[in-house]
Amino acid sequence: EILAEQEATGARMAREVPSMLDNSDIGEAQVKALFSELEKQADFVEKLRMVLEKVGHDFPVITAAERLEERYADLAACVAEKLKAMRE
């Protein structure tokens, strides 16, 4: 199922992104690319959630999609903060 795959990816990203951002060797271009990819994932999951709602999936499935959407948004916000700090 697409949602299960996305949840696994989201869990992996939640583990990997903080360590990426803590790496002193990460450059601004890499942070920008990471932000862009997280934004794409968030957009994809938002569209997936809307489709799931439209076809009438059960509440737990919709809730899982919403949590995943929030996870990607939170990760993108962390990356945006790192990018902001790098530019100061």
Side-chain angles (χ1 to χ4, degrees):
E1 177 177 294
I2 294 173
L3 183 58
E5 291 172 10
Q6 287 297 313
E7 287 178 316
T9 300
R12 189 183 82 244
M13 294 299 286
R15 289 188 307 271
E16 293 176 0
V17 167
S19 62
M20 288 178 191
L21 297 179
D22 287 341
N23 186 335
S24 60
D25 293 331
I26 194 167
E28 186 175 331
Q30 291 168 307
V31 175
K32 286 168 71 174
L34 181 57
F35 178 78
S36 176
E37 288 305 311
L38 287 168
E39 284 286 294
K40 286 179 190 174
Q41 285 297 114
D43 289 345
F44 176 79
V45 173
E46 179 183 18
K47 289 175 185 159
L48 177 60
R49 178 190 49 80
M50 291 177 359
V51 168
L52 292 171
E53 288 175 346
K54 187 176 182 178
V55 298
H57 265 278
D58 294 336
F59 186 72
V61 173
I62 303 300
T63 302
E66 288 171 345
R67 279 195 312 265
L68 185 56
E69 190 178 347
E70 289 172 11
R71 173 179 279 173
Y72 280 122
D74 290 346
L75 287 170
C78 290
V79 174
E81 285 297 316
K82 173 70 173 188
L83 190 57
K84 180 181 174 188
M86 293 176 92
R87 291 178 172 172
E88 292 176 346

